Amino acid sequence: MTGSDLKIAELVACPSCDYLANISDLRDGERAKCVRCGHFLTEYKVDAIDRVLSFSISSLVLLIVANSYPFLSFKSSGLESVMTLPQTALALYQNGMLDLAFLVATFIILLPAFLLFLLLFLCIPLHFKKPVSWLTASGYLIFILQSWCMVDVFLIGVIVSLVKISSMATVVLGLSFWAYAGFTILFTLSLSNLDRLQCWRAIDHLNSRVVG
């Protein structure tokens, strides 16, 4: 690369107004915003990939725990009912709400699990600086699908429902509930620490080493 090529490579176009900004002098923890419209561009973190990898592994462990133990139990008039996380979708299916059961299972279990595996497929090669063919595809899928995960919405909905149900029955929070709450926090941190621009720059840098 020539000097002019290097300068051009450090320029990024604002998604809002197409203003070209130079982000080459960003330091750890610094953010860049468009000087014309104020749109957020990127945040540079030296250990961003390591953070995402750590949060993703922890999230996956908690998601497995959340699907393996009782989520909630209800006690009323001497009767007790125990529910696991997969049974939330199963109960909807058994009551004839197939479409709703599919949406619940997809957005609170299957899609988050799929995204976690994509994050691992992306971050492990970037961490070890090992170029693989699926890096670009993994990045595209992550940024497309991340807005479709409803884990935080589901958890908030459960908490609101518990406030209403607590007046009619005794509610016991199982290990799965706390595991899913921890999973929600770590999963959100995994996605929030994956900066779109820095991710593509890391992929391009790794691919350029192969080409070179």
Side-chain angles (χ1 to χ4, degrees), residues 31-195:
R31 296 184 175 188
K33 293 184 178 181
C34 178
V35 296
R36 178 185 292 172
C37 67
H39 187 88
F40 172 78
L41 298 177
T42 185
E43 180 179 6
Y44 177 70
K45 294 179 181 177
V46 174
D47 58 347
I49 297 299
D50 293 337
R51 291 189 184 192
V52 176
L53 184 57
S54 299
F55 288 138
S56 299
I57 294 174
S58 302
S59 298
L60 186 59
V61 172
L62 288 178
L63 184 59
I64 294 173
V65 173
N67 284 276
S68 304
Y69 294 92
F71 190 75
L72 295 171
S73 63
F74 305 93
K75 296 179 181 179
S76 179
S77 303
L79 300 176
E80 182 178 3
S81 177
V82 179
M83 180 184 68
T84 62
L85 190 59
Q87 285 176 336
T88 57
L90 183 60
L92 294 172
Y93 172 76
Q94 292 174 342
N95 284 279
M97 293 179 281
L98 178 60
D99 52 348
L100 189 56
F102 172 77
L103 292 175
V104 170
T106 299
F107 292 132
I108 70 173
I109 301 176
L110 301 179
L111 187 56
F114 180 61
L115 264 174
L116 284 176
F117 281 111
L118 285 176
L119 287 170
L120 293 178
F121 290 157
L122 175 71
C123 293
I124 290 177
L126 289 179
H127 173 77
F128 291 103
K129 296 181 174 21
K130 298 291 184 181
V132 290
S133 58
W134 62 75
L135 277 179
T136 302
S138 298
Y140 274 121
L141 285 174
I142 289 170
F143 292 120
I144 290 174
L145 296 177
Q146 63 178 349
S147 59
W148 290 94
C149 288
M150 305 292 180
V151 294
D152 51 345
V153 177
F154 171 74
L155 187 62
I156 293 173
V158 169
I159 294 173
V160 172
S161 300
L162 290 178
V163 174
K164 298 180 179 180
I165 296 174
S166 60
S167 61
M168 300 180 291
T170 301
V171 180
V172 179
L173 304 178
L175 175 62
S176 174
F177 176 86
W178 299 111
Y180 197 83
F183 156 74
T184 301
I185 296 173
L186 293 176
F187 181 71
T188 303
L189 288 172
S190 299
L191 295 177
S192 63
N193 276 274
L194 186 65
D195 183 86

